[in-house]
Every structure is written in C-alpha cells, then in structure tokens.
Amino acid sequence: VGDFAFDADTRVWAAGDPGEYRAALTDRWDGIGGAVNGGYMVATCTRALGLLVPFPDPIVVSGFFLRPGTAGEAAIRASVWRSGKTTAFGESELTQDGKQVVRVTAAFARLADPRDGPSVAGPSVAGPSLVEGAPPSLPPPADCVGVPVSAFALAPIAERVEFRAAALPGWFLGRPTGRPSSEFWMRLADGRDADLLALPMLVDSTAPSVLELGVSSATIQLTVHLRAHPAPGWLACRATTRFVSGGYHEEDFEVWDSAGTMVAQSRQLAVVLPL
Amino acid sequence: VGDFAFDADTRVWAAGDPGEYRAALTDRWDGIGGAVNGGYMVATCTRALGLLVPFPDPIVVSGFFLRPGTAGEAAIRASVWRSGKTTAFGESELTQDGKQVVRVTAAFARLADPRDGPSVAGPSVAGPSLVEGAPPSLPPPADCVGVPVSAFALAPIAERVEFRAAALPGWFLGRPTGRPSSEFWMRLADGRDADLLALPMLVDSTAPSVLELGVSSATIQLTVHLRAHPAPGWLACRATTRFVSGGYHEEDFEVWDSAGTMVAQSRQLAVVLPL
C-alpha cells in the first residue's frame, strides 16, 4: 500500500474476531449528490474477503446495494463459505452505524498471470480460447477529450478516475443523445495501474449511461467477472444499456486492457430515477 | 401448487425457526452426469426467500455454486437483510448433509404486471423505455426440430424443459460448430407457463454453449435479471458465449416472451471442463 488513493481508501484494519474489519470510507469517491461510490465499497469489501481466502484473485464479485454509504467509519464482516482445490467462496458485509449498506459475495481463484511465466496456470488453461468482439475503436488518449474535473465539483470521483472520449457526452453538453451507450478510455488519475481489485470500482465509476435518456439511476446489484490481470496503462471501455422498462435498466460494461485483452465484464441492475 | 413438476419439486416446508425450510430436491432436473441442475436449486432457494419478503417479484437473483447438489433432502435457511419501501434484499442458503451447496442473494420488488391493470405499478414506470435488440428470429415452434428426449437418457431435465430450434445443434450431431451461440424456443414440457420463479431455472436449463467448442463446463456463479412477467406460451431464447480464456467462460442468456417482451437476462461465469 503506497500513496495511491485507491489503496489508502480501501484499506481495512482487523477488528476483533477473525473476519471482522474496520474501514474508513472517504469522500474522495463520491458521485454527484454525495453518495459514496458503490464500486468503491464493493472493492473494499472484496479486499477484506481476500485476506481470508487462500487464492489471490477475485474472479466473480456480486454486490447488492441496500443503502447509500456515507464517508466515515464502516465495519466489515467477512467469512469464507467454502475453500476448495481451485476456488474459494465467501461473503463480505459492510455496515455503518449498525445498518447494512453493501453485501458482497465473491469467488476467488488463481488466474493465469503472464508475469508468473508459463509454469503457474489456472484450471484448464490448455483448453480452447475464444474472443468474439474487439476493444472499442478509439482515437489515442492524447487525441481524446476529458470532461473537465471542475465541471464535477460535486463528484469527487471525477478527480480520482480519468476519462477520455472522442467527444464530450451529450448529457454533459445539455443535449442527451437518446443513446445510452458509449466508449471511452479510463485510468486511475494518480498513476496507479488497475488490478483485479480496482476493476470492480472502475466499472461503476462512470456517470450512468441513462443520463443520455435524460434520467439518472441508482444501482441495486452489480456483478463483475474478472477475466484477466490487466496490463498497465489506459483501459478501453464500453458501457451499454439496451433495456429500460418498468422503471429499471441494466448497464453492461466491458474493460479491455492496453494489450487488447478483455479483462472485465460487468452488469448491473438499476432503478431509474428522475434527474 | 398443482400437479406441475416445477411447482412440486421446488416446494419448501417450514422447519423450525422462521426462515428455516426443508426441501426435497428431485432427480427430475438432473443434467448429464447426474448433477442436480443449478438453476433448479436457485429457483428453490428464491422461492423460500420469497416467503419472507413483502414484495412478490424477484427482480435480480445471484447464485453461487459451491458444490454439486444431489437428489434428496436439503435444508434452506433464508433471511431478509433489508426491506425498504420498494425493494427487499435477502439471502437463501441451501445445504445438504450440513454442507453448503448453493448460496443465493436476491432483491424483490413489484414489477408492473399487465394483469393488474394500470393502477398497480413499480417505481418510475412513467419514465423512459428503451429496447435495443429484438427477439431471436426463429421459424414457428411447429416448424422447428426438438432434440429427441430419448437421446438424453442421462439428462432427465430434457424431459422437463422442451427445446425447439431451426436445426439440431452441431455438438449433438457430433460436429461441434466452433460457434458457442444459439437461438431456440423453450417451454416447460408439462404445460406450466413460465413465471419469474421458473425463469432462473430456465436460463440454466440448456446444454452449455461451449459444447460447440468441444468442451463442457461447470457454473461458478449465475446472475439473473427478471425484467417483466412473461406472457404465456413459448419463450424465444438466445444463448451466447463470447469469451473463453484461462479456463473460464461467460454465458449470456436472453429470454423473450410470446408477446415480444424481453423478460429475463442472465449471465454466468463457468469453468471449462473436458468433455
């Protein structure tokens, strides 16, 4: 844990019985309106659970959002449900003032890591591989535009996560496009490279796609598949909402690393809110 | 609960303290190899949790599969985490012989239901709606072919869930196509119409898409979004695997009802297994 904001702010301290931790949620990841970012809380919960399992890599993380979180003290209770030969399962619950805020369930394993060399491998790595799809086709980050941080005085997370896109979003310019899909670059603003722990935060760090429909949203549930260790550098991302109905919508998110590997897929279910 | 297999086999009985239930998993939903279908266990857990919450409709269900289930007695312990004005959250854990098999987390609410008339509605139903996509383009069910049930002597679930596709799958004919995506009709074979409880089973009831790559798979986690009450009749479905790497793959599933409404979206993370 160095001086990077993500590492400092997701830190947990042992507190009492095994699996019980204390966390200090900061206001540096707040979105518009002052709610602590859900992905940041999921990442913090996942980090706590990771201390208990014998495998290094979260491979699937599911978070349910029961209440908005607020900056300040939080308690986390993590427990391992099963630890098998290749996969461990457990949960991690974050409470504030005795009230449940986020419940995270996750599976951990060991993903193949190019840095480990070919001798360390996950299950069945010799099996088939398939990539149906490609990274977003974006101009280089230097040729893209970023939303000015000053425009987000009320969304501190915009200072922590840097975005670049070919053009400014319609909703930001006051002209929602009606198309809640977008492609963009993303990275942590302080130079920390993304890893499997940061990805669950990053996939929830953007403004909701449905802003392009003139509405906002609140996440009920977020599932993240972590598919590979991301290479250092910018991440090419694609956020897509295809179905808005009955007051709910999904948002899908794909993250491709600088080596062209699809490293994370997420989907959330959210409730539509008036702006 | 009538004579339909799904209702009979997902039944739970109160056992002891509130939230504690007994279930009797049957072998009628086994896949090839004799493992109880995961979606069937998720549906049973969701049904138990539904008895405790004040809202009728599961809207998102997340199931983690810790161990294979086996036909026979099971214990379910369900608990409500939070019940708010529009949404309730809780979990449901299925154990056999004292060992955890499946852990389900779900959110319940009230989805708009055409049968209720316009006066009963979920949150923000007056908001925008968007459908990017369309049902699979399939010949009518009567003009499609079904995989003969007799071919699945070892997969009893094939007798419970009826499939029809424009052509028999390549893997079934011994010629895997290399393309793990398919479109088909589906319904419960005994005439029971699908509802929000049956959908989490149905999205997990097909043979894995990766059979078209010459491998099989075991599900680690399944997330299902329930977006609308399905109209009676055949369901048009689309199963897609786009990413197979490092021994894992995802499988996405879309279910469209006979009225042309997208009623469920699911995604699972699974580990690749040799055939």
Side-chain angles (χ1 to χ4, degrees):
Chain A
V1 176
D3 294 316
F4 293 123
F6 180 77
D7 299 306
D9 293 358
T10 57
R11 192 171 167 192
V12 297
W13 293 264
D17 293 334
E20 296 197 350
Y21 300 95
R22 186 171 58 79
L25 299 180
T26 76
D27 59 8
R28 299 202 283 180
W29 309 87
D30 287 5
I32 296 169
V36 173
N37 175 256
Y40 161 49
M41 293 190 286
V42 168
T44 305
C45 287
T46 304
R47 183 168 171 179
L49 180 56
L51 297 173
L52 300 179
V53 294
F55 302 106
D57 302 327
I59 58 170
V60 49
V61 176
S62 163
F64 280 78
F65 301 96
L66 282 64
R67 286 187 176 79
T70 52
E73 181 99 356
I76 294 177
R77 183 192 301 259
S79 59
V80 179
W81 290 337
R82 187 191 181 203
S83 189
K85 273 181 227 161
T86 59
T87 314
F89 300 84
E91 74 168 340
S92 188
E93 168 199 17
L94 186 147
T95 58
Q96 293 191 291
D97 292 328
K99 290 183 176 172
Q100 298 186 52
V101 175
V102 178
R103 295 284 291 239
V104 168
T105 306
F108 284 72
R110 178 180 290 279
L111 289 180
D113 189 338
R115 292 167 297 187
D116 293 337
S119 62
V120 178
S124 308
V125 171
S129 64
L130 177 79
V131 178
E132 288 284 345
S137 178
L138 288 163
D143 298 338
C144 285
V145 292
V147 174
V149 169
S150 59
F152 282 104
L154 300 176
I157 195 170
E159 296 181 48
R160 305 266 77 81
V161 182
E162 195 175 357
F163 296 90
R164 300 261 180 96
L168 290 171
W171 65 265
F172 177 76
L173 300 170
R175 299 189 295 272
T177 61
R179 283 172 281 108
S181 298
S182 56
E183 299 183 339
F184 46 86
W185 299 103
M186 185 165 54
R187 67 177 177 187
L188 285 162
D190 62 5
R192 183 194 190 280
D193 281 312
D195 59 9
L196 298 178
L197 209 52
L199 287 170
M201 182 279 292
L202 289 169
V203 299
D204 192 44
S205 67
T206 57
S209 290
V210 292
L211 286 175
E212 296 294 3
L213 299 176
V215 294
S216 188
S217 83
T219 308
I220 295 173
Q221 197 268 353
L222 170 69
T223 305
V224 190
H225 292 189
L226 289 318
R227 299 297 301 273
H229 291 278
W234 284 97
L235 301 165
C237 304
R238 183 179 280 130
T240 310
T241 291
R242 294 172 55 213
F243 301 103
V244 184
S245 63
Y248 296 94
H249 73 89
E250 100 289 8
E251 179 170 308
D252 282 4
F253 211 100
E254 268 177 33
V255 183
W256 299 72
D257 72 7
S258 59
T261 301
M262 202 288 293
V263 296
Q265 250 187 325
S266 75
R267 178 175 286 165
Q268 57 176 263
L269 182 71
V271 59
V272 176
L273 297 178
L275 258 189
Chain B
V1 177
D3 294 318
F4 294 122
F6 180 78
D7 299 307
D9 293 357
T10 57
R11 191 172 168 192
V12 297
W13 293 265
D17 293 334
E20 296 195 352
Y21 300 95
R22 187 170 59 77
L25 299 180
T26 76
D27 59 8
R28 299 202 283 179
W29 309 84
D30 288 4
I32 296 170
V36 173
N37 175 255
Y40 161 50
M41 293 190 286
V42 168
T44 306
C45 287
T46 305
R47 183 169 173 179
L49 180 56
L51 297 173
L52 300 179
V53 293
F55 302 107
D57 302 327
I59 58 170
V60 49
V61 177
S62 164
F64 280 77
F65 301 96
L66 282 64
R67 285 186 177 78
T70 50
E73 180 100 357
I76 293 177
R77 182 192 301 259
S79 58
V80 180
W81 290 336
R82 187 191 180 203
S83 189
K85 273 181 225 160
T86 59
T87 315
F89 300 84
E91 73 167 341
S92 187
E93 169 199 15
L94 186 147
T95 59
Q96 292 191 292
D97 293 327
K99 291 182 176 174
Q100 298 186 52
V101 175
V102 179
R103 297 283 291 240
V104 168
T105 306
F108 284 72
R110 178 182 292 278
L111 289 180
D113 190 336
R115 291 168 297 187
D116 293 337
S119 61
V120 178
S124 310
V125 172
S129 65
L130 177 79
V131 178
E132 289 284 346
S137 178
L138 289 162
D143 298 338
C144 285
V145 292
V147 173
V149 169
S150 58
F152 282 103
L154 300 176
I157 195 170
E159 296 181 47
R160 305 265 78 79
V161 182
E162 195 174 357
F163 296 89
R164 302 261 181 97
L168 289 172
W171 65 264
F172 177 76
L173 301 170
R175 297 188 295 273
T177 60
R179 283 173 281 108
S181 298
S182 55
E183 299 183 340
F184 45 87
W185 298 104
M186 187 166 53
R187 67 177 178 187
L188 285 161
D190 62 5
R192 182 195 189 279
D193 280 311
D195 58 10
L196 298 178
L197 209 52
L199 287 170
M201 183 279 293
L202 289 169
V203 298
D204 192 45
S205 67
T206 57
S209 290
V210 292
L211 287 174
E212 295 295 3
L213 299 176
V215 293
S216 187
S217 84
T219 307
I220 295 172
Q221 196 268 353
L222 170 69
T223 306
V224 191
H225 292 189
L226 289 319
R227 300 296 302 273
H229 291 277
W234 284 97
L235 300 166
C237 304
R238 181 179 282 131
T240 310
T241 291
R242 294 172 54 215
F243 301 103
V244 184
S245 63
Y248 297 94
H249 72 88
E250 99 290 7
E251 180 170 308
D252 283 4
F253 211 100
E254 269 177 33
V255 183
W256 299 73
D257 72 7
S258 60
T261 301
M262 201 289 294
V263 295
Q265 249 186 327
S266 76
R267 177 175 287 165
Q268 58 175 260
L269 183 71
V271 60
V272 175
L273 295 178
L275 258 190

